[in-house]
């Protein structure tokens, strides 16, 4: 890694410090809880300054406070990824405090489980506005700064739902398929500017997004524990390693890819 914490020279030999994020500033959306929260803490432990935005009143601020209490640099703000003006304003404040954002973790997302024909138009729009348009708004907001620096890392949080159809999650699956396509297309478009765009695809992860569902359906929990080749439901910290790798210099020759972090779910069936 160079002294400025930016690009390494192509002829430089690999160094384990490439996995670190010292000197970088990262923005994590939906970092108040769940997967985004684990990633925000992981970024801070890897040396990054971390800006966090979240919809939930105060949860981003509380997450940032926890990072600061353990010696990191962080700022948390309430902002809605569905609203480009709120994202621009939050980004401005975060950059004034923590410096130019070089890493975007596009994580905020919601799930609504209903058969398609039972969904209200508002619910369909909310899923698309949050899970797909929200990521597009955030990538556009950080775009000019990353282009000016000639460097950037964007990691989108997709899902196994992008490549695996699921009942009662038709629109959710469509948004995550959109995130995969968005990742590939943006990767190609932004590559000349020195910006890589990749995604992680979580499997079944025990977060507040899933907690109520698993509680109401203990049979599904048991089935998941049997069907996941690695034998358990994931936890948010399982997603941190792959995300930090994609955000780091160690992934400098990767762009447009989705890494599935799912205990082996999409790799194949273990029962047959
Ligand atoms: P979570 O525990 O519900 O956390 C999501 C966070 O995003 C919450 O803090 C939420 O705020 C925030 N958020 C929601 N809408 C927002 C908006 N409009 N603007 C800003 N922040 C917003 O969910 P999670 O399981 O960690 O999910 C994180 C990502 O992983 C999502 O993109 C999800 O689709 C994806 N994923 C999760 C799983 C899984 O099994 N859990 C599997 C595959 C993919 P509030 O607290 O106010 O709601």
């Amino acid at each position: 890694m160079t002294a400025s914490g930016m690009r390494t020279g192509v002829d430089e030999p690999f160094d384990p410090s490439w996995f670190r994020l010292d000197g970088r500033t990262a923005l994590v959306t939906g970092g108040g809880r769940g997967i985004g929260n684990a990633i925000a803490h992981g970024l801070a432990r890897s040396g990054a300054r971390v800006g966090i935005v979240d919809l939930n009143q105060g949860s981003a601020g509380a997450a940032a406070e926890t990072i600061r209490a353990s010696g990191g640099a962080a700022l948390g703000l309430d902002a809605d990824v569905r609203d480009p003006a709120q994202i621009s304003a939050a980004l401005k404040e975060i950059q004034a405090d923590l410096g130019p954002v070089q890493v975007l973790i596009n994580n905020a997302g919601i799930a609504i489980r209903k058969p398609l024909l039972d969904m209200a138009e508002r619910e369909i729009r909310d899923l698309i506005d949050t899970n797909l348009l929200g990521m597009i708004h955030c990538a556009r907001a950080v775009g000019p700064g990353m282009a000016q620096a000639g460097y950037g890392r964007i990691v989108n949080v997709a899902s196994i739902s992008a490549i695996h159809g699921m009942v009662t999650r038709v629109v959710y699956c469509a948004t995550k398929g959109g995130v995969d396509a968005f990742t590939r297309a943006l990767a190609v478009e932004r590559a000349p500017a020195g910006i890589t765009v990749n995604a992680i695809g979580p499997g079944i992860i025990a977060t507040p997004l899933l907690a109520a569902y698993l509680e109401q359906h203990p049979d599904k929990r048991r089935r998941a524990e049997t069907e996941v080749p690695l034998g358990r439901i994931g936890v948010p910290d399982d997603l941190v390693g792959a995300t930090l790798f994609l955000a780091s210099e160690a992934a400098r020759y990767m762009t447009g890819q989705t890494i599935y972090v799912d205990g082996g779910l999409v790799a194949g069936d273990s029962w047959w």
Side-chain angles (χ1 to χ4, degrees):
M1 195 181 295
T2 63
S4 63
M6 291 292 192
R7 243 183 250 268
T8 52
V10 171
D11 294 330
E12 274 181 57
F14 170 79
D15 188 286
S17 68
W18 292 7
F19 284 104
R20 297 264 324 160
L21 289 150
D22 301 284
R24 306 285 165 90
T25 297
L27 170 62
V28 184
T29 69
R33 69 180 202 193
I35 293 169
N37 190 262
I39 292 171
H41 281 87
L43 284 162
R45 285 195 289 270
S46 292
R49 296 180 287 269
V50 189
I52 302 167
V53 295
D54 204 290
L55 187 61
N56 192 350
Q57 291 263 324
S59 71
E65 181 55 46
T66 314
I67 290 173
R68 286 196 300 271
S70 44
L75 179 66
L77 299 170
D78 294 342
D80 186 340
V81 296
R82 293 170 294 185
D83 179 355
Q86 287 189 37
I87 291 306
S88 292
L91 179 66
K92 205 169 162 193
E93 210 174 313
I94 284 164
Q95 298 202 125
D97 195 42
L98 303 175
V101 165
Q102 293 121 356
V103 175
L104 167 65
I105 311 295
N106 245 336
N107 163 78
I110 58 168
I112 300 171
R113 282 190 182 77
K114 276 186 186 177
L116 181 63
L117 301 188
D118 293 347
M119 289 185 79
E121 182 70 17
R122 179 186 44 76
E123 292 173 320
I124 294 171
R125 285 194 185 280
D126 209 19
L127 272 167
I128 296 170
D129 282 352
T130 307
N131 293 6
L132 185 55
L133 281 178
M135 295 202 185
I136 293 172
H137 295 324
C138 294
R140 277 167 57 86
V142 299
M146 287 183 176
Q148 202 182 359
Y151 184 92
R153 293 277 184 270
I154 297 177
V155 183
N156 298 322
V157 180
S159 170
I160 56 169
S161 312
I163 55 166
H164 191 84
M166 296 178 189
V167 293
T168 72
R169 269 158 282 183
V170 172
V171 181
Y172 180 82
C173 289
T175 63
K176 293 300 183 177
V179 171
D180 260 8
F182 169 60
T183 300
R184 283 188 294 275
L186 190 66
V188 177
E189 188 166 288
R190 303 312 283 152
I195 300 164
T196 68
V197 186
N198 291 289
I200 57 161
I204 303 168
I205 313 298
T207 68
L209 184 93
L210 208 62
Y213 182 74
L214 289 173
E215 217 159 277
Q216 286 157 16
H217 301 91
D219 53 317
K220 306 248 178 192
R221 172 181 278 280
R222 277 192 300 278
R223 173 102 193 248
E225 283 160 359
T226 318
E227 297 279 329
V228 174
L230 286 178
R232 66 171 172 86
I233 288 173
V235 296
D237 275 295
D238 289 327
L239 281 306
V240 177
T243 307
L244 266 56
F245 162 63
L246 292 173
S248 78
E249 198 60 13
R252 66 183 189 176
Y253 199 55
M254 279 183 70
T255 198
Q257 302 297 312
T258 299
I259 299 180
Y260 290 97
V261 185
D262 64 351
L265 258 184
V266 300
D269 294 319
S270 54
W271 61 275
W272 187 236

